[in-house]
Amino acid sequence: MALAEQAKRVAAEFEFDADGVNKAVKEFMREMDEGLQREGTELSQIPTYVTAVPNGTEKGLYMSVDLGGTNFRVCSVRLHGNTTFSLTQSKVAIPRELMVAKTSKELFSFLAKQIEAFLKTHHEDHYAGHLRRRQTGDAIKEEEIFSLGFTFSFPVNQVGINKGMLMRWTKGFDIPDAVGKDVCALLQAEIDALHLPVRVAALVNDTVGTLMARSYQSPGKTGTLLGAIFGTGTNGAYVEKLNKVAKLIKNKDAGAYDKSTGEMVVNTEWGSFDNSLRTLPNTSYDIELDAKSVNPGIQMFEKRVSGMFLGEILRLALVTLLEDPNVPLFRDENSGTNDIHSTTQIHEGSPLFRQWGIDTSFLSICASDNSPGYKQIRQTLDRDYMISAVSAEDAEAVKEIAGAIAKRAARLSAVAIAAIVIDSGRLEKTPGAAATTEKKADVNPPRGDVESSGRGDVAEEDVIDIGADGSLVEFYPNFEDYIREALREIPEIGEAGEKRVRIGIAKDGSGVGAALIALVAGRVVDDAA
Ligand code: ADP
Ligand code: MG
C-alpha cells in the first residue's frame, strides 16, 4: 500500500464523529451533575468559594503570587476599571533545595522575602511605611494593606476563599510537614514575621484565574461563563448556580461564602472526565501511552487533549508505522531523488525513539506548513528529530496523522465546552429577545494583549463568553475552528448557538485573575461586616 494511503488509514483511527461527540457531551453533563452531589466522582467539581465574576468596572491596586512547579511570580495589578489593567511582575526560580526543605517554614519564608523584595523595588511608598512601623511599632493602617491572591498549583482541599489544606505535593516538591496544613496561613505567618502590609485574601486555581481575568477584560456587560486551559494539561472552571452545588450546601464543615449572588465558580478538574472510557475514543496508541504513563487509568481526557500528550501520541503512531516493513515511511526508496547523498536516515539517538521525544509544538508546525514540498516540516524533522533527507511524501504522511490527532483533541475540547454551555441554560435565552441592556461605557478600548473571536453580528447580550489560556489553543493553527465545527454538530447548540459562543484568550490569567479574586474576596468580607 502506498504511504499516502497508510497515513490516511492511521489518521482515520483518530476520527471522532458527530455521534461520538454527542454521546460524550451527554456523559459529560451526567458527570458534571454527579460531581456536584458527592465526593470521589470522575469530575471532581470542586467548589471554589468564588461567588461572582468581574464585569470590568473593578478598580484598585492588588497583589498576586503564583507558586507553580518551577517559578515563583510576584505581581501587582492596577485595575483601571475600564476593562484594562497594568501589571508589574517579578519572577524567581524556586531553589531545588527548598522544594525538599526539612520544614515548610524554609519555603514559605523564602516566598515572603520575595514579596518583601518586590515591594521594596516596585512599591517604595508601601515599603517605607513598613520600615517606619518596624521602628515605631505602629499598627498597619487598613488602607495600606495589599490584598493578595495566592495561585497555588498543587492539590488542595479548599474550605474557604482563603483557606485550603495541602493534600499532597506533586512536581518534585516534598516537604512533609506542610501536608494537611492551610497553605494560606503558612504564607501569612511568614509575611507577618516580616511585618509586610499584605493580607492573603484568596487561594486561587489557575482555571479560576483565567475565568476571572477574561471576565474583567471581555467586552460587554455579561460575565464570562467558563475559563478553560489547554496547555501542558487541560482543565476548566465555570459559573454554576449555587443551589446546584449540593455537596457544598450539605457540608457542615464548609467555610463561609457569599450567598447573595446565587452563583459559585466550580473547578471541574475535567482532565479526569470519563476515566472509565464510556465515551472517549481509544486507539492502540492511547492505550500504549496510558500504560507507559506514571498514572495509568487517570486523567484519561487530558491524555487525549493536552500539550503534554499529543506529541507522544504522534510519536507512537509513527513508530508503529516504522515497525511495519511494508510501510515506506522514512525509507530511501521513497526519498524522491537520485542524489545518493540524500538517502533518508533516522540517526541514532533520534528523539523519535524516546518516550515524550516529540513536542506538541511540532503538530503546530505540521498544520501551518502548506508549502509545496513541506519545507518547514522536513527541516524540523532534520533539525529537531534527527531524521534527515526526508521526502515530501514522508512529510505529507506525518502532516496527515498529526492533523488528525490535533483535530480529535479539539473536538474533545468542544465536548467539555458544549456540556458547560448547554448546562448553563444561557442558550435558552432567545437571541435578540433580551431587553435593551445598559452597556458599559467605553466598551472596547484597544487592547494589545487580548484577542477574541466570535461572530460580529451577535448582539452583545446574547454572547456566551469563554476565556481560554494555554499554548495549544493559542498557537495550534486550527484549534478553535475545529472546536467550532464540532459545536455546530451538537443539536442543542447548532449553527445559531455556535455563533453566540465567543472564545477569547485570557493572558496573564494567574496574575490578573488572582488579583481579581483577592478583590471579590474583599467584597465578601465587606458584605459580611
Ligand atoms: P503551562 O501549561 O505550563 O502553563 P503552556 O500553556 O505554555 O504552559 O503549555 C505548554 C504545553 O504546550 C507543552 O505541552 C507544549 O508541548 C505545548 N506547546 C508549546 N508550544 C506549542 C505550539 N506552538 N503549539 C502547540 N502546542 C504547544
Ligand atoms: Mg498556564
Side-chain angles (χ1 to χ4, degrees), residues 285-306:
Y285 320 109
D286 295 306
I287 293 167
E288 189 176 351
L289 181 148
D290 181 54
K292 292 180 177 161
S293 71
V294 293
N295 53 357
I298 296 171
Q299 299 293 93
M300 297 303 255
F301 183 71
E302 184 163 83
K303 283 173 179 161
R304 287 152 178 77
V305 170
S306 76

Side-chain angles (χ1 to χ4, degrees), residues 206 229-234 306-311 358-365 469-477:
D206 60 351
I229 300 214
F230 303 99
T232 309
T234 182
S306 76
M308 182 163 172
F309 303 101
L310 300 187
I358 294 186
D359 193 89
T360 297
S361 56
F362 181 57
L363 276 68
S364 289
I365 291 169
D469 187 19
S471 289
L472 185 61
V473 62
E474 206 177 329
F475 300 123
Y476 189 86

Side-chain angles (χ1 to χ4, degrees), residues 21-22 25 29 414-423 427 464 466 483-501:
V21 168
N22 279 292
V25 170
M29 292 177 73
V415 166
I417 292 171
I420 287 169
V421 166
I422 295 167
D423 187 78
L427 284 167
I464 300 170
I466 292 172
I483 289 177
R484 291 189 172 281
E485 195 177 280
L487 291 179
R488 290 192 293 271
E489 293 167 20
I490 300 164
E492 293 90 331
I493 295 183
E495 298 243 349
E498 181 268 310
K499 282 199 184 76
R500 294 173 59 187
V501 173

